[in-house]
Amino acid sequence: MGRVAIVTGGTRGIGRAICEKLRDEHGATVVANYAGNDDAARAFSQETGIATVKFDVGDHAAAQDGCRKVEAEHGPIDILVNNAGITRDGTLLKMDYDDWNEVMRINLGGCFNMAKALFPGMKDRGWGRIVNIGSINGQAGQYGQVNYAAAKSGIHGFTKALAQEGARFGITVNAIAPGYIDTDMVAAVPEPVLEKIVARIPVGRLGKAEEIARGVAFLCSEDAGFVTGSTMSINGGQHMY
Ligand code: CAA
């Protein structure tokens, strides 16, 4: 029987690809968290057979309760992939406090809330894998994304700090910094803006969700026990960091 994994924001885009990869490559019992889109979650479960659990990762109490519920049903969670994230793009001049706060609350606060729920059990069992999905835009910044870039940059700092705390307990904590991947989130970028971005990607195309999932699967493997506190950039060469 494989380990139990939870992937936040796991029913669509990169999260969905991660769920499928962890199931197929590690034989893990995977549970996909989602926050709002019931139709997408239902379709995901029907198509993949993977269970879902609905809660807002940015809500501290809901994340604790959600994780306990999953553990009661499926067993202790040894693999956490913090993938859930939203964008509220706009220049600072047009961005309001809610746009700032929601992105910080969900994208960065979600990582804290989930780790807070699951790190103690991983510590007690002496084994854990935490993979946080950062972003090229947290490394390089991006016009129109002070909220998102700050949250994603925060994820990279969070990763390195928690990696230091987890090492003695057999818990590795790593980040992946995806570039522009062919998902609904990137499709929401206005066409002319996206064309200019793709023109700056040396590989000459958007990435595929599966290409991020492969990196996650490696970081969650037994073989990756000596890899911790690292950031794997998967961005087609757009930013070499
Ligand atoms: N650098 C400098 N100037 C820029 C610029 C840039 N990168 N991008 C735009 N500008 C300039 C424009 O040329 C324009 O100047 P003029 O008025 O002199 O022509 C001015 O800024 C306003 O630009 P827009 O017309 O685009 O402004 P807007 O208010 O309509 O839209 C925006 C602003 C919402 C930020 C829009 O530019 C946008 O959506 N940009 C893309 C942001 C982005 O890349 N988001 C990533 C989403 S995917 C993701 O986040 C996943 C991941 O991890 C990679």
Side-chain angles (χ1 to χ4, degrees):
M1 195 60 198
R3 296 185 184 274
V4 178
I6 188 164
V7 180
T8 66
T11 61
R12 296 187 296 133
I14 291 174
R16 176 179 179 139
I18 293 170
C19 285
E20 293 180 310
K21 188 64 79 187
L22 290 179
R23 179 196 58 190
D24 296 346
E25 278 200 7
H26 292 317
T29 299
V30 183
V31 178
N33 151 267
Y34 73 104
N37 192 331
D38 292 318
D39 290 340
R42 210 170 299 114
F44 164 83
S45 264
Q46 275 164 8
E47 286 158 25
T48 64
I50 293 173
T52 61
V53 59
K54 183 177 182 177
F55 61 87
D56 174 0
V57 294
D59 177 331
H60 186 75
Q64 311 313 297
D65 292 350
C67 288
R68 295 292 81 83
K69 189 176 145 199
V70 170
E71 291 196 313
E73 202 169 325
H74 299 280
I77 298 172
D78 285 332
I79 299 174
L80 163 63
V81 183
N82 280 314
N83 166 74
I86 60 165
T87 53
R88 291 275 189 94
D89 292 357
T91 57
L92 181 78
L93 292 174
K94 292 182 190 164
M95 187 178 289
D96 61 28
Y97 181 70
D98 195 48
D99 296 329
W100 165 264
N101 199 42
E102 278 299 276
V103 169
M104 295 303 287
R105 186 182 74 81
I106 294 168
N107 296 17
L108 183 56
C111 292
F112 174 81
N113 294 336
M114 293 299 292
K116 190 75 186 155
L118 300 176
F119 188 93
M122 294 178 183
K123 169 185 168 283
D124 291 347
R125 294 185 298 279
W127 197 94
R129 294 281 184 267
I130 300 177
V131 180
N132 302 314
I133 304 300
S135 168
I136 186 175
N137 294 348
Q139 297 172 311
Q142 169 62 37
Y143 187 100
Q145 283 200 311
V146 294
N147 50 2
Y148 186 89
K152 290 294 188 179
S153 196
I155 286 177
H156 294 299
F158 175 88
T159 299
K160 293 179 219 177
L162 192 59
Q164 293 179 29
E165 296 181 22
R168 76 181 69 177
F169 306 124
I171 304 169
T172 67
V173 187
N174 292 286
I176 291 197
Y180 282 74
I181 308 300
D182 191 4
T183 59
D184 292 346
M185 183 184 273
V186 166
V189 174
E191 185 66 33
V193 178
L194 191 56
E195 270 172 25
K196 283 189 201 147
I197 290 170
V198 174
R200 294 200 307 268
I201 302 175
V203 168
R205 62 170 174 85
L206 294 175
K208 300 181 192 124
E210 212 265 342
E211 292 172 313
I212 304 302
R214 273 192 178 285
V216 175
F218 168 67
L219 292 171
C220 292
S221 67
E222 292 290 343
D223 289 346
F226 201 58
V227 184
T228 196
S230 75
T231 299
M232 187 189 287
S233 296
I234 307 179
N235 62 28
Q238 188 183 347
H239 180 63
M240 301 188 185
Y241 181 78

